[in-house]
Amino acid sequence: MNPNMLTFDEALAMLTAQARPLREIEMSDTFVAHGRVLATDLVSPISVPSLDTSMMDGYALRVADVAAVGARLPITQRIPAGQVGHALESGTAARIFTGAPLPAGADAVVMQELCEHAGDAVIVNHLPRVAEAVRVAGSEIACGKVVLSAGSRLRPQELGLAASVGVAQLPVVRRMRVALFSTGDELVMPGQPLPPGGVYNSNRFQLRALLQQLGCEVTDFGIVPDRLGATREMLRDAAEGHDLILTSGGVSVGEEDHVKPAVEAEGSLDLWKIAMKPGKPLAYGRVGAAAFIGLPGNPVSSFVTFLLMVRPFILTTQGVKDVQPRALALRADFDWPRPDRRREFLRARTNEAGGVEIYEHQGAAALSSIVWADGLVDVPADQPVAHGDTVRFLPYGELLF
């Protein structure tokens, strides 16, 4: 490996160390807080369940009243979910339904399949235990317990949990504001005629969607011409009111690559060569109060580098505690006999046999490969892979949220 290159882990650590966590907190209705980041611990104001409740349809009774199988108990009340019955008299039973509170004095529920209904009485064909088929008050959540920690990303299940303890509004970190633009005179927007040498601007679409997937507010500044003055002006505009400027293309040192000198003129810049494939060049710097990240112009490199580098940076800025994706150890249903000297991330997908296979053409221009794939295989530098080896697989599900 080139000694001037950073390893993937070195670059990721350097980048996330530069993230400045957002401090502003706002309240969001729980109903619309999907994808937001919780700003403070959520403490339950109630116990769940708030009362002892029945886990199933059956009969609430006192265990002491069922001395033997076949005990006959008169039914003195009927308690559906949402209603509270009266105290259960000794030697009686209550018809009860799933989710209904146990009447005072009852200490067990016998499921209806273990009983016989006999007019105004029930015959219990089972010897119950205390608390059988009962959700004890506070057994799931105790009042005062932290149910969600600060830095949690609010998925549907977190929202459901918050709603279950009666929380209608949640304190969340304000949305990260990102300015996005592309560079290159060759870029053409879909819907326009494609001139000779032109390329449709796919990065603009995929990067905007990736940012929105992470809950960012995106300002799309479009395409900047390949001119130093225009690039500097765009950077000044983009820095206003944004936490991050994200660009694709123009970060190398060619005569037509103006992003590097423009950022250096307007702020500060480090250009990193990272020992990863795809995605070797990455630029990081600052323009005014905004962070700047410049991605490769190649769409596959841009996509992979965003998932592996930019996503952790954004999540750290948002205050998320755990930003690393969880990998799966899977069987390689492929051979990779000629590894690169850089760490490689192969477009791959799982198969019905429980293994993982890779896209046939791993070239950085194969944009269709990231659609075909459902994740990336992480191959260490200089390490061949043989069919049947265990490999580290990063599912898109871990990288896209």
Side-chain angles (χ1 to χ4, degrees), residues 333-338 344 346-349 356-364 366 368-370 372-373:
D333 286 349
F334 64 90
D335 291 301
W336 194 248
R338 293 179 294 278
E344 297 180 273
L346 309 178
R347 279 81 74 200
R349 70 180 181 191
V356 61
E357 54 198 54
I358 61 173
Y359 193 72
E360 183 179 3
H361 303 293
Q362 288 290 322
S368 57
S369 66
I370 62 176
W372 175 90

Side-chain angles (χ1 to χ4, degrees), residues 47-53 134-143 145:
S47 293
V48 179
S50 56
L51 299 169
D52 292 350
T53 58
V134 176
R135 289 180 68 215
V136 177
S139 58
E140 181 179 343
I141 298 172
C143 181
K145 177 185 177 182

